[in-house]
Amino acid sequence: MFRRTVNTDDADTITSSFDYLDMADTGQIARLLLCPITNKLIVEPAITADGHTYERRATKHWLQQNDTSPVTHLPLPHKRLVSNVVIRSATLNHPQQLQWH
């Protein structure tokens, strides 16, 4: 969905699938990286028990007041947060591709 096929004889020139995104895909990805709580680009991503990713600080605040998912509003089996290293890597290593207007 987010990759474009690149024909090249030199595989070493392909460093990341982010390098070959269409502008439409870039905007789509950037919107997916918005925290549903803050509506801002996620900087410190954390995953809740239901598998959704949010900004860690906003999620901690939500979970202090709620026992439910910020997205689904269904009860969460626990309040532990797990770092989302894939999202963290994307926002740290490819910020220019995540810019949109």
Side-chain angles (χ1 to χ4, degrees):
M1 175 177 183
F2 299 122
R3 290 186 190 196
R4 179 187 296 166
T5 302
V6 177
N7 294 323
T8 179
D9 293 331
D10 186 2
D12 293 335
T13 62
I14 301 175
T15 58
S16 169
S17 60
F18 281 102
D19 295 336
Y20 306 103
L21 293 175
D22 289 327
M23 291 305 291
D25 290 341
T26 302
Q28 210 171 15
I29 290 172
R31 283 188 292 283
L32 291 173
L33 297 178
L34 293 178
C35 174
I37 300 170
T38 65
N39 205 32
K40 294 182 181 177
L41 189 66
I42 296 171
V43 176
E44 190 178 349
I47 304 170
T48 56
D50 63 352
H52 291 279
T53 298
Y54 308 91
E55 179 61 42
R56 182 176 292 278
R57 183 176 289 179
T59 310
K60 282 185 174 183
H61 180 74
W62 172 272
L63 294 175
Q64 288 173 349
Q65 300 173 7
N66 303 280
D67 294 326
T68 59
S69 165
V71 169
T72 66
H73 298 285
L74 295 173
L76 292 170
H78 61 78
K79 293 185 175 187
R80 289 185 304 273
L81 298 176
V82 177
S83 294
N84 189 327
V85 295
V86 173
I87 299 299
R88 177 91 169 138
S89 175
T91 58
L92 287 176
N93 296 325
H94 303 285
Q96 68 279 3
Q97 284 91 345
L98 300 176
Q99 305 287 326
W100 76 95
H101 304 290

